[in-house]
Amino acid sequence: MMNDQEALAQDDQDVEVRCHARVSAGRSPSERSLHSCTLLNVEGCRVVYLYGGRNKNGIALDDLHVLDLEANYWRAEKPKGEKPAGRFGHVAQAFESNLYVFGGHSRGQATFNFGGQPEGRSSGMFSDKKKGQREADTEATDQLQRYDTEKQMWSEVEVLGDDRPSARYKHASCFVPERRGEARVFIFGGQDEDGIALNDEHFLNLKPGDEAPSWCALVGLGVSCRAAACFGRGCMAGEGGGERMR
């Protein structure tokens, strides 16, 4: 009889892994890194929304592309009206027919303040150069943007609660469905404008319809950064570090 180690070795020999590049029709996005890809179900079809990222020259990108997984076809989305400035290192999650984008960095592309922002709030990072006042050439943001896939329009989301995450990029997110059509998006870690690693955790409560979402912070849990944080039916794991969350 084979021992466990021999059995595992035999199983490895029996497994064949094949990987190949999927050739898609249409105009595919340019090469990039630190972008987001989010799966949505649109009229019964699975589509992937690819947003932003950073090109090989370090410039933040603001384009949006859609891959139809049924037709295997790329197309460039053309949003109506204003759109956020290019960003990379953000996170994006889908809820109902909307794409929610949080955080990110705009290195290499100016951001603009449209006025009427509450004191202490960072720019909405919209890229219409005909409006607003130039703030900076590089900036991490704490803003939540929403793209309505039906109306093809961007908007900045007003969120309830005072426990909003600080400006960050390269953070993690996890989408957790809840009852009554609600959902939570958990945000963990990342790094700030100065490159300092963060270990805090927040979640965004999303409500169906027009009800405003709200931020909450997870504090005092004594959870190690090495541990997996599981909530509801979802799970988010972080690796590295040994500091406890405060």
Side-chain angles (χ1 to χ4, degrees):
M1 295 181 60
M2 292 187 296
N3 58 34
D4 292 342
Q5 189 172 6
E6 292 172 339
L8 288 173
Q10 181 64 41
D11 290 342
D12 290 341
Q13 294 176 0
D14 294 339
V15 174
E16 182 180 0
V17 178
R18 295 183 180 182
C19 297
H20 63 277
R22 184 172 183 176
V23 179
S24 302
R27 186 173 181 178
S28 60
S30 59
E31 59 184 33
R32 65 192 65 201
S33 62
L34 297 177
H35 49 285
S36 61
C37 287
T38 311
L39 180 66
L40 283 84
N41 194 305
V42 179
E43 298 180 351
C45 296
R46 295 181 305 149
V47 298
V48 172
Y49 278 79
L50 182 151
Y51 172 62
R54 182 175 61 184
N55 67 14
K56 61 183 178 181
N57 296 319
I59 302 300
L61 304 172
D62 65 356
D63 51 347
L64 184 63
H65 300 263
V66 181
L67 174 62
D68 186 326
L69 294 178
E70 310 301 328
N72 196 27
Y73 186 85
W74 279 108
R75 64 177 173 84
E77 188 86 338
K78 297 181 179 179
K80 303 172 184 177
E82 301 170 356
K83 59 181 179 180
R87 66 180 65 191
F88 59 87
H90 55 279
V91 294
Q93 297 286 355
F95 181 66
E96 296 184 320
S97 62
N98 298 311
L99 183 69
Y100 287 85
V101 177
F102 171 72
H105 208 288
S106 62
R107 187 187 312 279
Q109 182 162 339
T111 59
F112 295 81
N113 185 356
F114 284 86
Q117 290 277 359
E119 186 177 354
R121 290 279 298 277
S122 65
S123 164
M125 294 184 73
F126 278 79
S127 59
D128 186 346
K129 296 183 179 181
K130 296 180 180 179
K131 296 183 179 181
Q133 176 183 357
R134 176 170 175 164
E135 281 194 332
D137 290 328
T138 175
E139 180 182 282
T141 181
D142 63 354
Q143 295 301 300
L144 180 69
Q145 311 288 353
R146 176 174 55 211
Y147 182 72
D148 188 321
T149 62
E150 295 179 347
K151 298 179 180 179
Q152 295 183 306
M153 296 184 65
W154 284 102
S155 61
E156 184 177 342
V157 184
E158 289 297 328
V159 188
L160 303 177
D162 298 324
D163 293 323
R164 64 183 306 117
S166 59
R168 66 191 62 207
Y169 65 114
K170 295 183 180 180
H171 43 290
S173 71
C174 178
F175 181 87
V176 182
E178 299 286 348
R179 297 177 180 178
R180 300 184 298 275
E182 300 178 0
R184 290 183 177 182
V185 176
F186 288 86
I187 302 293
F188 174 71
Q191 61 187 67
D192 63 14
E193 176 72 24
D194 298 321
I196 304 300
L198 305 171
N199 70 344
D200 53 342
E201 189 166 11
H202 298 73
F203 63 87
L204 177 70
N205 286 307
L206 294 173
K207 309 286 186 179
D210 297 327
E211 190 171 350
S214 60
W215 281 115
C216 291
L218 292 174
V219 295
L221 298 181
V223 179
S224 169
C225 292
R226 291 183 179 273
C230 297
F231 306 90
R233 295 190 295 274
C235 184
M236 179 167 62
E239 296 182 357
E243 294 290 334
R244 292 187 178 273
M245 297 171 65
R246 293 182 292 273

